[in-house]
Amino acid sequence: MQNKTMMQFFEWYCSQDDCLWKELKEETNRLVELGITSLWLPPAYKGMKGISSEGYDVYDLYDIGEFNQQGTVRTKYGTKQEYIDAVKTARAAGLKIYVDIVLNHMGGGEREVVRARKVNPDNRNEFISDVVDLEAHTKFSFPGRRGKYSQFQWDHTCFTGIDAIEEGHQQIYSIQNDFGEGWEDIFHDEKGNFDFLMLSDIEFRNPHVRYELKKWIKWYYDTVQFDGLRLDAVKHIPHHFFNNWIDYIKREIDPDLFFVGECWFTETNHELLKYIEVTEGRMHLFDTVLHHKFHYASRIGSDYDLTTIFNNTLIAAKPELTVTFVENHDTQPLQALEAVVEHWFKPIAYAIILLRQEGYPCIFHPDLYGTNYVGQGCDGNYYDIHLPKVDELEKLLLLRKDYAYGTQRDYIDNYHCIGWTREGIAEKKNSGIAVLISNNGEQHKRMEIGKRHAGKVFVDCFEHHHGTVTIDEHGFGEFHVAPSSVSVWVERINN
């Protein structure tokens, strides 16, 4: 047996001059050695920005780097064949591949006249204009593909709304079509109705759209064999669409595919649990609440009460459907949901998601490799960003792979110092760990790791504390941690 560990194998500012698919092929063996078991890959299809597109501004779902569209054949990440080859290599090495699916919107279409009404952006249920005729980019004929794989062409009947910049501000229009006036039913009432997010918003009440998206996902699976789907912006899409679509996939394509949704809420787990309820547990969700706790804890340092780190998180309420993460492409510096976890806290955060028994952890590409980029902030200025790799991450991954098994005992009982132990299992020789975290001064805590370790000598594998701990006859030891750090204690070999 081996613990499951996911990796987001990209970040927002990946260079178009590189080829992510080639990098994946080259890095596959190293990732397996580190204990990575699955990879979340970026949207592979053509976006409206062409070669500079990150893939979230979907233009053509069937173009994964094959056709000359939006000014390029390849995508930002490479060509179709490079993508297929990289996935084959990774899966042959034992990695599961999760593809990123963006079904909320499309962009880059041709112009056509639509009838629409302007809405209040803060209360999308309130119309603030009469019905008007306006030109919108809602016609998608895909001239570069010429009907290969699918003859379906999108037009205004396939969308519920559009946005436009007027007098420097985003304006949102609800399209008048044959499938119901206004927005679709969404599971919560943020902004009155948060169906609309950006670009041309897909109309799931249209049966032709639903049929096309089933046909497309079958084509995608047959073309690029994958093991799961990461679903983008699910809170903006009717949950009943996903219920039906996922059931179709499991029935007609592969019953064992993994699903994880991005449902962005930051204060409490209430909305996340509600979404799990309305989708009847069909998908995992990312624990966005825990991420924001990491962000906040890293900003205020010793003023943060570590005993509250799991309060109101998804991992605390529904661990079996939780994917945990420290940062991702939306939260990195200069992004719309920027919520940076300060570098000093990242080893602590990764210890929390990697070395505990609950949840399915996901690590972030820059935290393993580091990255540098120049990007535009919300103030219009450009900034040079340097994100160093987390030096402790490789060791934490190996600790998860080889040591973090067995019964867990929690010591979440001190404002500045929390810890836990894992007893280990017979199948993993020398497994068992004691983890201690401090966000203030040096700390120590007596913790039980189990009688099977009685008489064994433990050392801090990060060497933050240079002493040793001998486990007593009752299975307890007095473990230490240096100021504002994490210590992971493991059995000393050849003591």
Side-chain angles (χ1 to χ4, degrees), residues 216-491:
W216 165 73
I217 196 62
K218 179 68 165 61
W219 169 86
Y220 195 10
Y221 181 82
D222 290 341
T223 305
V224 183
Q225 295 288 302
F226 51 78
D227 304 281
L229 296 81
R230 182 267 183 185
L231 304 173
D232 185 67
V234 297
K235 77 176 186 180
H236 304 282
I237 297 171
H239 65 271
H240 45 80
F241 163 77
F242 277 126
N243 290 352
N244 179 269
W245 192 66
I246 290 172
D247 287 349
Y248 163 80
I249 291 171
K250 287 184 173 289
R251 183 179 64 252
E252 303 292 337
I253 299 177
D254 187 342
D256 298 320
L257 289 183
F258 172 82
F259 295 84
V260 57
E262 177 215 19
C263 190
W264 206 269
F265 294 97
T266 62
E267 297 301 321
T268 73
N269 59 23
H270 174 75
E271 290 86 358
L272 299 176
L273 291 171
K274 182 177 179 182
Y275 192 80
I276 287 174
E277 179 183 352
V278 297
T279 53
E280 300 175 338
R282 285 176 171 84
M283 68 178 82
H284 286 59
L285 294 181
F286 290 100
D287 196 342
T288 50
V289 178
L290 181 62
H291 156 72
H292 271 265
K293 283 178 173 284
F294 291 156
H295 163 65
Y296 185 60
S298 76
R299 296 290 299 273
I300 68 172
S302 61
D303 289 332
Y304 188 82
D305 180 358
L306 288 174
T307 67
T308 68
I309 196 74
F310 298 114
N311 289 2
N312 295 313
T313 59
L314 188 61
I315 192 72
K318 206 75 173 174
E320 69 275 17
L321 289 177
T322 299
V323 173
T324 54
F325 68 104
V326 176
E327 287 207 68
N328 68 19
H329 65 291
D330 284 320
T331 70
Q332 68 185 106
L334 306 182
Q335 278 304 290
L337 299 175
E338 178 178 334
V340 174
V341 177
E342 300 294 335
H343 192 72
W344 74 273
F345 196 82
K346 283 188 176 182
I348 293 173
Y350 273 116
I352 288 173
I353 71 169
L354 290 172
L355 302 184
R356 294 177 60 78
Q357 66 183 1
E358 303 91 357
Y360 189 173
C362 180
I363 72 166
F364 188 34
H365 188 284
D367 290 333
L368 186 62
Y369 294 100
T371 188
N372 297 282
Y373 57 87
V374 176
Q376 188 175 21
C378 59
D379 59 1
N381 295 320
Y382 284 85
Y383 296 89
D384 190 354
I385 302 297
H386 172 62
L387 297 178
K389 69 177 184 177
V390 179
D391 292 332
E392 297 88 345
L393 183 51
E394 286 192 28
K395 187 168 286 187
L396 286 166
L397 287 167
L398 293 171
L399 287 166
R400 176 172 176 81
K401 177 185 177 185
D402 297 327
Y403 288 86
Y405 296 91
T407 300
Q408 178 173 292
R409 297 178 176 91
D410 284 337
Y411 296 83
I412 316 294
D413 55 4
N414 183 282
Y415 194 102
H416 293 303
C417 179
I418 62 172
W420 64 91
T421 64
R422 303 290 300 277
E423 189 165 329
I425 55 175
E427 297 91 328
K428 292 285 185 178
K429 186 179 180 181
N430 306 121
S431 62
I433 57 172
V435 183
L436 208 57
I437 288 167
S438 168
N439 67 353
N440 195 359
E442 183 171 350
Q443 305 283 339
H444 60 90
K445 194 181 294 288
R446 178 173 167 80
M447 300 191 294
E448 180 183 4
I449 195 171
K451 290 183 179 180
R452 68 190 298 267
H453 297 286
K456 294 179 180 178
V457 176
F458 276 58
V459 295
D460 179 1
C461 66
F462 289 124
E463 299 183 341
H464 294 157
H465 194 281
H466 296 289
T468 62
V469 174
T470 301
I471 307 303
D472 69 20
E473 61 182 324
H474 303 292
F476 284 80
E478 187 80 19
F479 299 97
H480 295 256
V481 61
S484 301
S485 69
V486 57
S487 285
V488 182
W489 295 81
V490 298
E491 181 184 342

Side-chain angles (χ1 to χ4, degrees), residues 90-106:
R91 295 184 83 233
L95 290 167
K96 293 187 179 299
I97 297 298
Y98 303 153
V99 295
D100 206 320
I101 303 296
V102 185
L103 299 182
N104 180 72
H105 51 264
M106 295 174 65

Side-chain angles (χ1 to χ4, degrees), residues 61-109:
L61 291 168
Y62 287 97
D63 185 357
I64 53 176
E66 181 179 3
F67 304 100
N68 188 358
Q69 299 189 109
Q70 302 303 98
T72 179
V73 173
R74 59 160 286 187
T75 69
K76 183 180 187 179
Y77 308 113
T79 65
K80 174 185 177 181
Q81 195 58 52
E82 288 166 342
Y83 179 40
I84 292 172
D85 290 346
V87 169
K88 284 183 178 179
T89 298
R91 295 184 83 233
L95 290 167
K96 293 187 179 299
I97 297 298
Y98 303 153
V99 295
D100 206 320
I101 303 296
V102 185
L103 299 182
N104 180 72
H105 51 264
M106 295 174 65

Side-chain angles (χ1 to χ4, degrees), residues 170-239:
Q170 182 195 45
Q171 300 293 341
I172 301 171
Y173 286 84
S174 170
I175 292 176
Q176 308 296 295
N177 60 40
D178 297 331
F179 301 103
E181 183 178 25
W183 310 111
E184 299 188 64
D185 292 332
I186 305 298
F187 86 106
H188 64 99
D189 59 0
E190 187 176 355
K191 294 185 182 294
N193 181 304
F194 217 168
D195 177 15
F196 185 87
L197 177 64
M198 61 188 298
L199 301 177
S200 297
D201 186 84
I202 291 177
E203 169 66 88
F204 295 97
R205 290 170 295 198
N206 184 331
H208 304 294
V209 168
R210 298 196 302 272
Y211 177 81
E212 175 65 11
L213 292 178
K214 289 177 179 177
K215 178 184 173 184
W216 165 73
I217 196 62
K218 179 68 165 61
W219 169 86
Y220 195 10
Y221 181 82
D222 290 341
T223 305
V224 183
Q225 295 288 302
F226 51 78
D227 304 281
L229 296 81
R230 182 267 183 185
L231 304 173
D232 185 67
V234 297
K235 77 176 186 180
H236 304 282
I237 297 171
H239 65 271

